Protein backbone atom coordinates (compact mmCIF):
# COMPACT_ATOMS: atom_id res chain seq x y z
CA UNK A 1 0.00 0.00 0.00
CA UNK A 2 2.87 2.33 0.78
CA UNK A 3 4.19 1.95 -2.77
CA UNK A 4 0.73 2.84 -4.12
CA UNK A 5 0.56 5.98 -2.04
CA UNK A 6 4.05 7.06 -3.02
CA UNK A 7 3.48 6.27 -6.69
CA UNK A 8 6.65 4.20 -6.88
CA UNK A 9 5.20 1.28 -8.85
CA UNK A 10 4.86 1.06 -12.59
CA UNK A 11 1.47 1.55 -14.25
CA UNK A 12 0.89 -2.13 -15.06
CA UNK A 13 1.56 -3.27 -11.49
CA UNK A 14 -0.55 -0.40 -10.13
CA UNK A 15 -3.59 -1.66 -12.05
CA UNK A 16 -3.05 -5.12 -10.55
CA UNK A 17 -2.99 -3.60 -7.06
CA UNK A 18 -6.13 -1.55 -7.72
CA UNK A 19 -7.93 -4.65 -9.02
CA UNK A 20 -6.96 -6.59 -5.90
CA UNK A 21 -8.22 -3.74 -3.71
CA UNK A 22 -11.53 -3.60 -5.63
CA UNK A 23 -11.94 -7.37 -5.29
CA UNK A 24 -11.20 -7.18 -1.59
CA UNK A 25 -13.74 -4.42 -1.11
CA UNK A 26 -16.38 -6.44 -2.95
CA UNK A 27 -15.70 -9.43 -0.67
CA UNK A 28 -15.92 -7.23 2.40
CA UNK A 29 -19.18 -5.73 1.13
CA UNK A 30 -20.65 -9.19 0.52
CA UNK A 31 -19.57 -10.38 3.96
CA UNK A 32 -21.05 -7.36 5.68
CA UNK A 33 -24.26 -7.65 3.65
CA UNK A 34 -24.50 -11.35 4.56
CA UNK A 35 -23.98 -10.61 8.24
CA UNK A 36 -26.62 -7.90 8.15
CA UNK A 37 -29.01 -10.16 6.25
CA UNK A 38 -28.42 -12.94 8.75
CA UNK A 39 -28.96 -10.67 11.73
CA UNK A 40 -32.21 -9.31 10.28
CA UNK A 41 -33.61 -12.73 9.39
CA UNK A 42 -35.75 -11.14 6.72
CA UNK A 43 -38.18 -13.16 4.66
CA UNK A 44 -36.95 -14.13 1.19
CA UNK A 45 -37.60 -11.69 -1.67
CA UNK A 46 -37.92 -13.91 -4.73
CA UNK A 47 -37.15 -12.40 -8.12
CA UNK A 48 -36.25 -13.62 -11.60
CA UNK A 49 -32.52 -14.33 -11.82
CA UNK A 50 -30.40 -15.43 -14.77
CA UNK A 51 -28.12 -18.20 -13.44
CA UNK A 52 -25.18 -17.11 -15.61
CA UNK A 53 -25.28 -13.61 -14.09
CA UNK A 54 -25.25 -15.09 -10.60
CA UNK A 55 -22.38 -17.42 -11.47
CA UNK A 56 -20.38 -14.57 -13.04
CA UNK A 57 -20.93 -12.35 -9.99
CA UNK A 58 -19.69 -15.11 -7.66
CA UNK A 59 -16.66 -15.79 -9.85
CA UNK A 60 -15.75 -12.07 -9.85
CA UNK A 61 -16.09 -12.01 -6.10
CA UNK A 62 -13.93 -15.09 -5.65
CA UNK A 63 -11.40 -14.24 -8.38
CA UNK A 64 -8.56 -13.48 -5.92
CA UNK A 65 -8.90 -16.94 -4.34
CA UNK A 66 -9.16 -18.54 -7.79
CA UNK A 67 -6.00 -16.76 -8.98
CA UNK A 68 -4.17 -17.61 -5.77
CA UNK A 69 -4.82 -21.33 -6.34
CA UNK A 70 -4.03 -20.91 -10.07
CA UNK A 71 -7.34 -22.51 -11.05
CA UNK A 72 -9.07 -22.43 -14.41
CA UNK A 73 -12.86 -22.18 -14.14
CA UNK A 74 -15.14 -23.10 -17.03
CA UNK A 75 -18.83 -22.29 -16.92
CA UNK A 76 -21.48 -23.80 -19.12
CA UNK A 77 -25.18 -23.03 -19.07
CA UNK A 78 -27.13 -25.22 -21.45
CA UNK A 79 -30.04 -22.80 -21.74
CA UNK A 80 -28.94 -19.12 -21.54
CA UNK A 81 -32.61 -18.07 -21.40
CA UNK A 82 -33.14 -20.07 -18.21
CA UNK A 83 -34.37 -17.97 -15.30
CA UNK A 84 -34.62 -18.88 -11.64
CA UNK A 85 -37.14 -17.45 -9.22
CA UNK A 86 -35.34 -17.05 -5.90
CA UNK A 87 -33.94 -14.58 -3.38
CA UNK A 88 -30.85 -13.24 -5.14
CA UNK A 89 -28.73 -12.50 -2.07
CA UNK A 90 -29.50 -15.83 -0.40
CA UNK A 91 -28.83 -17.80 -3.56
CA UNK A 92 -25.63 -15.87 -4.23
CA UNK A 93 -24.43 -16.51 -0.68
CA UNK A 94 -25.12 -20.24 -1.03
CA UNK A 95 -23.38 -20.42 -4.43
CA UNK A 96 -20.38 -18.38 -3.22
CA UNK A 97 -20.04 -20.69 -0.20
CA UNK A 98 -20.12 -23.77 -2.44
CA UNK A 99 -17.52 -22.28 -4.78
CA UNK A 100 -15.30 -21.19 -1.91
CA UNK A 101 -15.44 -24.69 -0.41
CA UNK A 102 -14.51 -26.15 -3.81
CA UNK A 103 -11.60 -23.73 -4.14
Amino acid sequence: MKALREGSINTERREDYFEAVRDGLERIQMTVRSLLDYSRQRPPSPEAIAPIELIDACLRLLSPAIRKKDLQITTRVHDPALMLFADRSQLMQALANLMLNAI
Side-chain angles (χ1 to χ4, degrees):
M1 291 303 279
K2 182 179 178 185
L4 272 175
R5 273 181 266 171
E6 294 173 354
S8 61
I9 17 183
N10 67 38
T11 306
E12 183 179 311
R13 251 343 244 163
R14 189 173 349 154
E15 287 305 313
D16 290 341
Y17 280 105
F18 282 129
E19 183 179 332
V21 168
R22 277 191 298 269
D23 289 340
L25 289 172
E26 285 178 12
R27 279 183 298 166
I28 290 168
Q29 182 180 23
M30 184 174 175
T31 300
V32 169
R33 188 177 301 133
S34 295
L35 289 171
L36 289 172
D37 286 346
Y38 179 76
S39 68
R40 280 189 217 119
Q41 290 297 315
R42 64 175 175 77
S45 299
E47 62 181 286
I49 306 165
I52 193 65
E53 291 176 16
L54 198 65
I55 292 167
D56 288 345
C58 286
L59 288 173
R60 277 192 308 276
L61 185 68
L62 299 175
S63 64
I66 293 167
R67 279 195 306 270
K68 184 177 180 181
K69 297 282 186 172
D70 195 29
L71 299 174
Q72 296 293 321
I73 307 294
T74 304
T75 58
R76 181 177 21 187
V77 175
H78 294 286
D79 183 0
L82 177 70
M83 296 297 283
L84 302 174
F85 193 68
D87 184 289
R88 180 179 175 78
S89 64
Q90 290 178 354
L91 190 55
M92 186 165 174
Q93 182 65 48
L95 184 58
N97 287 341
L98 285 171
M99 288 179 170
L100 196 52
N101 287 340
I103 292 168

